[in-house]
Amino acid sequence: MAVRIVTDSSSCLPAEIATVFDITVIDLHIMNRGDDRTTAGLNPLELVACYARQLERGGDDGVVALHISKELSATWSNAVTAAGIFENTVRVLDTNSVGMSLGSAAIAAATCAQAGGNLEACADAATKILERAETWLYVHRIDELRKSGRVSAATALMSTALATKPIMHLKDGKLEVVGKTRTQAKAFAKIVDLVKTNLAGGTGEITLQQHEAREAARRLRDMLTETLTTEEPPNITIIDMEPVLAIHSGPGSIAITVVRDTD
């Protein structure tokens, strides 16, 4: 038996990777409202049922739960409520994160579990990844983020009026604007600078999560590869953004996740 790892679909964890590491991924909800689509978090009953199944599979060794930032969804608070049923056998981490930062943390926790780590060790393995992870979001158009309420009305109005392409940074679980450019090329140059500064000459894992922007993601990958010249080339992977996130970021968006290697 082993500690079980649970995350949600906001982690963008590819299905084949989740299978290899035996990670349970629960789908957040996508709903149609007329011509628009929106999303909803997981409710406490859904989470209780999931955690109970995983505890049964793991022989009550425990569950580490990694969910989307509490600033972006009610899922985290509902997970805390659900975990209270299980007398300290379900550890819900306050991730302040989304995308492959969550996915990478889930992989680290699962690796620890497969090596025989206990609940505390698995939670610690995930936390260490989250502490070294950063996420930026390139938005081709601000419309979807404006409709979802993920950016302020003033930011959306300014970006629309000036036809700028915002670069967002996930800080303390919230999206903040860190740059606005008129062209995609300038936006990508800014992103490369941000990633380079973050790595500070070191190495790390970089994941580009794209929505209807595969060619653009390849160009960004090439720019990063050319600029991040170290003895060990960066590992840069391109994957599809999960629909539950793509609904809010819109077509042409790319999320950039960097997990720095340890010193």
Side-chain angles (χ1 to χ4, degrees), residues 228-256:
L228 302 174
T229 53
T230 59
E231 291 184 7
E232 186 175 339
N235 182 15
I236 305 176
T237 305
I238 298 174
I239 64 173
D240 293 337
M241 186 182 292
E242 278 291 319
V244 72
L245 299 183
I247 285 171
H248 298 296
S249 61
S253 57
I254 304 173
I256 302 94

Side-chain angles (χ1 to χ4, degrees), residues 65 73 227 243 252:
S73 170
T227 302

Side-chain angles (χ1 to χ4, degrees), residues 9 17 22 79 83-84 88-90 92 141 144 154 184 187 192 210-211 228 257:
S9 53
I17 301 298
D22 202 11
N88 298 318
T89 55
V90 178
V92 179
R141 295 183 62 181
E144 304 304 325
Q184 186 183 81
V192 169
Q210 62 83 30
H211 174 49
L228 302 174
T257 296

Side-chain angles (χ1 to χ4, degrees), residues 13 16 42 47 57 68 92 101 141 159 173 181 258:
L13 197 63
E16 60 272 20
L42 296 158
L47 292 161
R57 287 186 64 192
I68 184 173
V92 179
S101 294
R141 295 183 62 181
S159 297
T181 63
V258 177

Side-chain angles (χ1 to χ4, degrees), residues 30-88:
I30 297 176
M31 300 171 294
N32 294 316
R33 290 185 176 175
D35 294 332
D36 293 328
R37 292 197 302 169
T38 187
T39 61
L42 296 158
N43 65 50
L45 289 178
E46 292 173 303
L47 292 161
V48 165
C50 175
Y51 299 156
R53 285 194 299 270
Q54 297 311 310
L55 284 169
E56 183 178 4
R57 287 186 64 192
D60 290 329
D61 283 348
V63 169
V64 175
L66 296 148
H67 294 296
I68 184 173
S69 167
K70 62 180 181 292
E71 303 292 342
L72 301 175
S73 170
T75 297
W76 178 84
S77 60
N78 290 339
V80 171
T81 299
I85 303 293
F86 298 104
E87 298 183 354
N88 298 318

